[in-house]
């Protein structure tokens, strides 16, 4: 899409210089994908710039989750291009997307219900330490401290940070998923229907 400047809207002359927009962080260009005979995506295109919130709106089955999963490496797309900082990407796993600064909060949150907040923040990227100078072990103290600091940023307060996330409400669980993205300093945070299963009060808190 073309974004006219305020000057051009007021009848600027041809000599007026158009403002130069910074390059988008993410650029999706004519992406298409099929599942058998079903066309899930058809030439999807959009840009995401730094500091910008972009919403994808559509009916159930329109392909919103499909394009999210194509960006975040859950599966491969067939046609078109997805560019990150101008470089074409086709991640083969969600971990590759995370390693490149893309954190995705899925509709089902993808949390391990039996683990604590800290363990969920570091899931798959657990910090290690040495016990007795030679025995590798998970650094649970570092995980707990990261959970405390991250949840404080979200104004999220629970009495027990070591409690399993299954003990939390829907809004609190969503905060844990968001906190995970915040902790890893993601350049791009993708949220798949983040308030679909939440009440009005919890939805406001998430937003």
């Amino acid at each position: 899409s073309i974004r006219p400047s305020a000057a051009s809207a007021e009848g600027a002359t041809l000599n007026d210089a158009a403002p130069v927009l910074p390059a988008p962080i993410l650029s999706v260009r004519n992406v298409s994908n099929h599942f058998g005979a079903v066309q899930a995506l058809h030439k999807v295109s959009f840009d995401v710039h730094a500091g910008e919130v972009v919403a994808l709106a559509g009916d159930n089955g329109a392909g919103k989750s499909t394009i999210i999963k194509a960006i975040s490496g859950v599966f491969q797309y067939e046609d078109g291009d997805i560019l990150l900082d101008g470089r074409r990407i086709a991640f083969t796993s969600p971990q590759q997307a995370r390693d490149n600064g893309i954190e995705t909060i899925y509709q089902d949150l993808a949390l391990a219900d039996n683990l604590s907040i800290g363990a969920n923040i570091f899931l798959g990227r657990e910090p290690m330490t040495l016990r007795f100078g030679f025995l590798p072990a998970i650094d649970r103290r570092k995980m707990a401290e990261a959970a405390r600091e991250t949840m404080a940023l979200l104004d999220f307060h629970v009495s027990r940070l070591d409690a399993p996330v299954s003990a939390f409400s829907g809004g609190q669980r969503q905060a844990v998923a968001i906190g995970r993205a915040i902790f890893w300093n993601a350049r791009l945070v993708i949220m798949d229907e983040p308030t679909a299963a939440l009440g009005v009060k919890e939805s406001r808190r998430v937003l």
Side-chain angles (χ1 to χ4, degrees):
S1 63
I2 300 175
R3 304 182 182 184
S5 66
S8 63
E10 296 172 1
T13 67
L14 293 176
N15 293 327
D16 290 332
V20 178
L21 291 175
I25 292 176
L26 180 76
S27 185
V28 177
R29 288 288 174 267
N30 298 315
V31 171
S32 299
N33 208 49
H34 291 79
F35 294 109
V38 177
Q39 184 162 26
L41 300 173
H42 178 65
K43 296 185 180 300
V44 177
S45 298
F46 62 90
D47 291 334
V48 181
H49 290 81
E52 184 177 43
V53 176
V54 175
L56 299 180
D59 294 333
N60 289 337
K64 302 183 299 295
S65 294
T66 303
I67 189 63
I68 286 172
K69 291 177 180 178
I71 295 168
S72 57
V74 175
F75 54 67
Q76 298 286 288
Y77 56 96
E78 297 168 349
D79 299 310
D81 297 291
I82 299 178
L83 307 175
L84 182 67
D85 292 324
R87 176 175 55 89
R88 189 179 189 274
I89 58 173
F91 299 130
T92 58
S93 71
Q95 187 59 53
Q96 284 188 351
R98 295 188 194 104
D99 291 342
N100 284 271
I102 298 176
E103 288 284 343
T104 303
I105 302 170
Y106 298 99
Q107 190 171 356
D108 60 3
L109 301 184
L111 297 175
D113 286 344
N114 61 319
L115 298 181
S116 67
I117 295 174
N120 270 281
I121 288 175
F122 285 93
L123 196 61
R125 294 175 278 191
E126 290 81 1
M128 304 299 292
T129 187
L130 294 177
R131 291 183 179 177
F132 312 112
F134 67 93
L135 185 64
I138 295 176
D139 192 342
R140 300 190 183 279
R141 179 178 297 179
K142 181 177 181 178
M143 290 165 57
E145 184 61 29
R148 186 177 300 107
E149 293 177 358
T150 303
M151 293 300 101
L153 288 175
L154 296 174
D155 193 27
F156 171 81
H157 303 285
V158 292
S159 57
R160 288 185 55 198
L161 286 174
D162 60 340
V165 297
S166 59
F168 301 151
S169 69
Q172 291 172 328
R173 288 163 52 80
Q174 187 69 270
V176 173
I178 295 171
R180 180 168 56 192
I182 289 175
F183 178 81
W184 293 105
N185 293 320
R187 297 193 61 222
L188 178 68
V189 178
I190 303 174
M191 304 177 74
D192 188 1
E193 299 194 31
T195 62
L198 304 182
V200 174
K201 182 178 180 180
E202 290 181 324
S203 294
R204 286 174 179 165
R205 190 173 187 86
V206 169
L207 294 174

